[in-house]
Amino acid sequence: MWSRAVDRLRQSESRFVLRHTIQFLTRGHIFRNRIVNRYFSEHQKKKLNIGCGPQTIPGYLNTDVDRTGEIYLDAEGSLPFSSNSFDVVFSGHMIEHISEEAGQQFLNEIYRILKGSGTAIIATPDLERISNLMYGMGDNPDKNKILKKHEDMTNTKNIGPAEYINDMTHREFGHQFIYDKYTLEKSLDKAGFDSVDLVGNFNTNDGELNRYLTETKDSEDGAYDQITMTLEATGVNER
């Protein structure tokens, strides 16, 4: 029995490696430069979306480690772009999927590829908001909506606050490190940004991004947005 289970695991791992190897060879290496060059030639304002998942944003070069991106991009490595390349870099609900150390390197790389007048926009679950929502005083309807949605997503029943927080921090969704505002601000500051501001989830400095996020916002009356923070970082030194 155990030998069959090990064989199935090895086959699953082999399929995973093969799938990502194909992605790298096609969208990550062979055709990447062609796609990037075409994007740069067709867009006056250069915008990068890292970790797009199935949601590709108009006007952005959409990238992901999976097959959903226009090009393959592994956020845990050096970003395959020249310094001072982009006006805007957006990453939504991606940084929590890598370790804190890899997250710092990721923000360092974003700083490097941004132009001097560029803006980094990072949206991610906020541990402080999650804790306040789960353990705040009174009956919060958003809490019940979030727990119900989480039960539907994980095919579980009667999820409580502790189980939800553990799922969000490490047990589900491939999450490795959940930030709060202080920790993400500190990491952005360490990367070199001069100014970091907490903005509304649909009120960034990029109108095109705001329109897209508003059109695709959470269908559960926006309840899921209650646990998300969006930080906007500017002040890249001219290099």
Side-chain angles (χ1 to χ4, degrees):
M1 180 180 70
W2 285 109
S3 62
R4 291 198 300 271
V6 170
D7 288 340
R8 285 196 297 271
L9 178 60
R10 286 173 176 168
Q11 291 172 5
S12 177
E13 291 175 343
S14 297
R15 287 193 295 270
F16 177 84
V17 171
L18 177 61
R19 179 161 60 91
H20 281 271
T21 300
I22 293 172
Q23 286 298 306
F24 174 74
L25 290 175
T26 55
R27 299 186 180 188
H29 182 66
I30 297 175
F31 299 118
R32 181 166 61 197
N33 288 344
R34 185 185 306 172
I35 295 171
V36 171
N37 290 338
R38 184 175 67 233
Y39 172 83
F40 271 71
S41 67
E42 294 176 351
H43 295 81
Q44 183 177 3
K45 195 166 186 179
K46 314 301 190 290
K47 303 177 183 180
L48 180 65
N49 179 14
I50 302 176
C52 64
Q55 298 180 327
T56 56
I57 305 175
Y60 278 73
L61 177 62
N62 297 283
T63 70
D64 202 286
V65 73
D66 210 340
R67 61 183 179 274
T68 53
E70 295 169 88
I71 65 170
Y72 174 96
L73 189 147
D74 183 357
E76 294 190 79
S78 297
L79 300 182
F81 308 106
S82 300
S83 300
N84 309 298
S85 295
F86 289 93
D87 298 284
V88 178
V89 175
F90 170 71
S91 184
H93 286 261
M94 194 291 300
I95 194 171
E96 66 272 14
H97 291 270
I98 58 180
S99 68
E100 184 181 13
E101 295 77 13
Q104 184 62 61
Q105 176 62 26
F106 173 61
L107 297 176
N108 295 346
E109 280 290 284
I110 290 178
Y111 181 88
R112 178 184 64 80
I113 67 175
L114 276 170
K115 297 178 181 179
S117 59
T119 302
I121 304 171
I122 309 295
T124 186
D126 179 357
L127 186 57
E128 182 178 2
R129 294 188 185 195
I130 292 172
S131 298
N132 290 340
L133 187 62
M134 290 296 112
Y135 291 109
M137 297 295 291
D139 186 23
N140 189 327
D142 283 341
K143 170 184 173 180
N144 298 328
K145 291 176 184 177
I146 289 173
L147 290 176
K148 178 61 171 65
K149 181 174 182 179
H150 188 76
E151 289 175 353
D152 293 341
M153 292 175 66
T154 57
N155 194 29
T156 53
K157 298 293 184 182
N158 302 317
I159 285 288
E163 295 164 301
Y164 174 77
I165 290 175
N166 276 280
D167 282 353
M168 287 296 291
T169 53
H170 63 278
R171 294 199 314 189
E172 293 285 350
F173 314 119
H175 290 175
Q176 294 194 41
F177 186 83
I178 303 295
Y179 294 80
D180 59 9
K181 178 174 177 286
Y182 170 80
T183 307
L184 187 53
E185 278 183 336
K186 183 174 66 173
S187 297
L188 286 162
D189 180 72
K190 186 176 180 180
F193 292 96
D194 290 337
S195 176
V196 180
D197 296 303
L198 179 69
V199 299
N201 292 332
F202 312 104
N203 192 33
T204 73
N205 279 335
D206 183 24
E208 195 169 29
L209 176 61
N210 294 338
R211 285 191 295 275
Y212 174 82
L213 293 176
T214 301
E215 291 171 359
T216 59
K217 68 185 297 186
D218 181 21
S219 61
E220 295 289 339
D221 299 324
Y224 196 69
D225 301 321
Q226 296 295 320
I227 67 168
T228 299
M229 63 175 170
T230 302
L231 267 61
E232 205 165 66
T234 55
V236 178
N237 296 323
E238 296 287 352
R239 296 175 291 272

